[in-house]
Amino acid sequence: MKQFTANELRKAWKDFYIKRGHVDCGAVSLVSDGSTGVMFNVAGMQPLMPYLLGKKHPMGTRLCNVQGCVRTNDIDSVGDKSHGTFFEMMGSWSLGDYFKKERCQWSYELLTELFGFDRDHLAATVFAGDENAPRDEEGAKYRIESGFKPENIFYLPAEDNWWGLEYGPCGPDSEMFYVKDIPDCGPDCGPGCHCGKYTEIGNDVFMQYEKHHDGSLTPLSQKNVDTGWGLERILAFLNGVDDVYKIDLHAPVIAYIAKESGIAYEADEKSTRSMRILADHTRTAVMLIGDEAKLLPSNTGAGYILRRLIRRAVRHARALGLKKEQILGVATIYLDEYSESYPNLVKYREFVLRELGREIDRFESTLENGMKEFKKILDKTSSEGKKTVDGKDAFFLYDTFGFPVELTVELAEEEGFTVDEDGFAKAMEEQKQKARDNQNFSANLTTGAGVFDSLDESVKSEFVGYTSITADGKIVAMADEELSDELTAGSKGSIITDVTPFYGTMGGQVGDIGVIEGANGAKFTVTDTIHVAGGRTAHVGEVTEGSFKVGDAVKLCVDAENRAKTCRNHSATHLLQKALQEVLGDHVEQAGSYQDPDKTRFDFSHHQAMTAEEIKKVEDLVNEKIAAALPVVTEEMTMEEAKKTGAMALFGEKYGERVRVVKMGDFSIELCGGTHVSNTSHVGIFKIVSESGVAAGVRRIEALTGSNARNYYRDVENKLEEAAKALKTTPADINDHIKKLQEELKALKSENESLKSKEAQAALGDVGDQVKEVKGVKLLATSVKGVDMNGLRDLGDQMKTKLGEGVVVLISELDGKVNLVTMATDGAMAKGAHAGNLVKAIAPKVGGGGGGRPNMAQAGGKNPAGIADAIAEAEKVLGEQIG
């Protein structure tokens, strides 16, 4: 066998196929665009699914690439010799081009000519056939013709040699194996027996059937081949190691971890597992953050998986005695290692290290307290005679300390406990429900969930509201608390029509309001519009005049002003998102939004609070694009066409084959199903009224547009006028007047503090005869009336100066409460005096508590009657400290 480095293997793979007419189609983002329904790209063939189903690929019918992938379904297995969350899949495809003959020949050439395997050590498996599909004699024939020995061809059943989903393209596959020179384990020894003689090294999938919903198979008109080889696994095999953490991609990192921790790799099972997890999870975090600088750790979706990986890496780093600096050291090695094959890591290098460091800081700041709380929970669970951590306790760790439930499960297992994960999920759902109940959406409708589920599929709602706010339609369904044929005056309920101009709440934009008019003056006031089962639109509201029946012809009229205000806010949100990316960076991505007639709210990924200058830049840029009167153009196209335009998609959103693209000049291009203004000038003006944090790594902007923004400025102007009037000046001079008042206030405060100090000294009187000596240390412990904490500290400093060396204890009653200060000089501390411990000991006498440093401490209390006891206790405690 020939040996390769990772870079050599990537190049050799692509060169091999390019020489055979393939085109390198490149790799896509690790994070799914949302069109496939999964968070990450988990296989090289995943982005090509539309083309495997028959769509024409723009680069042809023969493709190859090396695709980065992320899988976390078997994260608990990471830590052994082979599993990883990030890996690279080397792939090649025939999309209706060549089939089994060429594929088998090229696989044999790849194995023998490129990788240097000899024929005697190669074996292959083919599909053995069943009641659904025949035995793959053709596959076996071409394996033998390509060079495999006939005796090394094995027929295996569908569970081993059939690829397919629940329905769709499917077919037999053929796996290739390396045969070791060891004796057979028995008469049935062969691929799949797990004795170690046969090692899988590659797989060819022949998609030649389509599986239907009834389970039947029919031949595909376009036969495809999907070939996928894992780079890390093949690299390890070719280089003669059985541990992927010893290949050149990981070896420098493992050596660094061993050096920094002082623990040899493979010294023991526990530390070796931690080394592998630290290496793997840090690598995956680097790849995800540096992919397109868009994904950041968060509490939802892909961001949650990223956060979980980083926090798991931190925990295993701590188990090895390593800290943030060493984790970033691991990240730096991977950034260097992958710089040639993943150029984005060079571009976003500093961004990756900064964001990774921030997340480590966030977790480390709570980890200590979280671990203490976890130990308390385990102690409580154990004391109750249980071995399962309560789900509510697991949720508390998640909600308060940021512990992913998986981390709690892992920690518990290490101590011999389990976790009630169902209880955790229930507690999580309860919190989510509370959040949903607090949202400004139709949470409690007169039509409960499922009311319209029983309607025939033919009952639909056609939306015409993009081009008109009025429409003539027919009532096809109605409901109050259940389906109804009639709604009369005073009835609250929902109406579904076959045609509607009303936009239903979706994508953050609230539903339209308006009226539905029927015959003889009948009127239904629409207070909300929502989407219900079957893709229908329900108009929620009340019959205010007359009555309505199913089948009635009606006129639907959207409230024009309400719609216009909502459109202004929605269009402004698109401008805002693009402006944030321009000012803050490409990592900004939508994390949520809400638009109604009054305001727009936009949540986005960003690591820190925006500065006043950044907020101003964003606001100015949005207003600049509004003033530029950019045309707002909407167009329906395929998802593939939309991607080519550079349109931004919302991660996690499922899009159909055709999508709606909203373009605002050349400035903003987004996928969006909402309603918008026809020109940015119609937004009027844009004003950011707040910027705040809503979660780790997520910020929120609230803003106003049009008349709402003008009303905001008018309100500010009115308040300014009122303030100027109260100050007896003009708005233009209000700043100078405030500065003058501040200077006067400062002078009065200084004078007041001086008077209070003199008054406190007078109240204290001559304390010379109150000084005691405790084991050679002077002690002044006394009380004074009506002095606050600041005054007491000042007085303590003065007494300490007069004392020279010693301890001062001053207690004062003020408004029924107690203030207490203790101070110790350097000489007194050298003999054992400790002001902080002293205050802790005597504060309970006055019904309080406190603490502080060895030289100064303070406390508060609510029992003035205990002042004398506290003073007496001070002498006793000081004696114990000195003794």
Side-chain angles (χ1 to χ4, degrees), residues 330-396:
V330 169
T332 300
I333 296 172
Y334 280 127
L335 285 165
D336 292 337
E337 188 65 46
Y338 283 94
S339 60
E340 182 179 327
S341 50
Y342 291 84
N344 269 357
L345 295 182
V346 178
K347 180 179 179 182
Y348 298 121
R349 182 186 182 91
E350 296 307 316
F351 178 83
V352 170
L353 293 173
R354 184 174 69 243
E355 293 309 317
L356 181 58
R358 282 197 170 103
E359 182 60 21
I360 294 169
D361 286 340
R362 273 192 288 263
F363 187 45
E364 286 190 331
S365 67
T366 61
L367 185 59
E368 287 291 343
N369 291 331
M371 289 299 293
K372 289 176 184 175
E373 196 62 37
F374 172 75
K375 286 182 171 60
K376 288 181 185 177
I377 289 170
L378 277 196
D379 290 343
K380 181 192 76 170
T381 305
S382 181
S383 68
E384 294 171 352
K386 300 176 183 176
K387 297 297 287 182
T388 300
V389 175
D390 189 271
K392 289 184 178 179
D393 288 333
F395 181 75
F396 171 73

Side-chain angles (χ1 to χ4, degrees), residues 536-764:
R536 307 171 185 107
T537 301
H539 310 86
V540 182
E542 180 179 1
V543 180
T544 53
E545 295 179 38
S547 64
F548 293 86
K549 294 182 179 180
V550 173
D552 282 355
V554 292
K555 186 175 184 63
L556 301 98
C557 304
V558 174
D559 185 310
E561 183 180 0
N562 187 83
R563 164 73 79 86
K565 287 182 175 180
T566 304
C567 285
R568 282 196 286 269
N569 286 330
H570 197 162
S571 296
T573 305
H574 282 227
L575 296 175
L576 171 62
Q577 180 171 3
K578 183 61 177 178
L580 285 167
Q581 290 175 336
E582 298 234 342
V583 173
L584 301 179
D586 290 340
H587 65 277
V588 168
E589 196 165 65
Q590 180 175 332
S593 71
Y594 173 83
Q595 300 89 31
D596 63 18
D598 300 321
K599 64 180 179 298
T600 180
R601 185 180 72 212
F602 185 71
D603 296 346
F604 59 99
S605 53
H606 189 51
H607 47 77
Q608 62 189 22
M610 292 176 66
T611 64
E613 182 183 3
E614 288 170 339
I615 292 172
K616 184 179 182 300
K617 282 183 179 179
V618 168
E619 190 178 276
D620 287 347
L621 183 53
V622 172
N623 281 307
E624 176 188 316
K625 299 306 175 183
I626 291 171
L630 303 175
V632 179
V633 179
T634 60
E635 184 180 354
E636 275 201 7
M637 59 184 72
T638 66
M639 188 66 183
E640 193 62 35
E641 291 168 337
K643 289 178 183 177
K644 290 178 183 177
T645 69
M648 285 188 285
L650 178 61
F651 173 75
E653 190 77 15
K654 281 195 175 184
Y655 297 100
E657 178 57 29
R658 294 195 67 79
V659 293
R660 192 165 178 266
V661 177
V662 179
K663 297 179 65 177
M664 297 182 182
D666 293 326
F667 183 66
S668 169
I669 309 175
E670 288 191 43
L671 300 185
C672 181
T675 61
H676 290 277
V677 298
S678 59
N679 188 288
T680 59
S681 63
H682 298 165
V683 176
I685 51 176
F686 176 81
K687 174 61 185 173
I688 295 175
V689 294
S690 70
E691 190 273 349
S692 61
V694 291
V698 180
R699 308 296 300 176
R700 170 173 292 172
I701 279 179
E702 293 198 7
L704 306 173
T705 64
S707 60
N708 294 321
R710 288 192 293 274
N711 291 337
Y712 170 84
Y713 285 121
R714 190 173 294 118
D715 183 53
V716 170
E717 187 178 11
N718 289 338
K719 288 178 180 176
L720 189 61
E721 291 279 1
E722 290 173 10
K725 186 177 179 181
L727 292 171
K728 296 181 181 179
T729 186
T730 64
D733 295 329
I734 199 168
N735 281 344
D736 291 338
H737 200 78
I738 289 173
K739 287 178 183 177
K740 181 181 177 183
L741 289 175
Q742 287 175 328
E743 290 171 359
E744 292 176 1
L745 182 61
K746 185 178 179 182
L748 289 171
K749 277 186 175 180
S750 177
E751 183 180 344
N752 185 49
E753 291 299 324
S754 177
L755 290 171
K756 282 169 67 177
S757 178
K758 290 177 181 177
E759 187 179 342
Q761 288 183 55
L764 189 63

Side-chain angles (χ1 to χ4, degrees), residues 115 176 242 400 425 552 594 652 676:
F115 295 143
M176 292 153 282
D242 64 351
T400 307
D552 282 355
Y594 173 83
H676 290 277

Side-chain angles (χ1 to χ4, degrees), residues 153 470 510 529 565 595 866:
I153 302 296
T470 63
V510 297
T529 306
K565 287 182 175 180
Q595 300 89 31

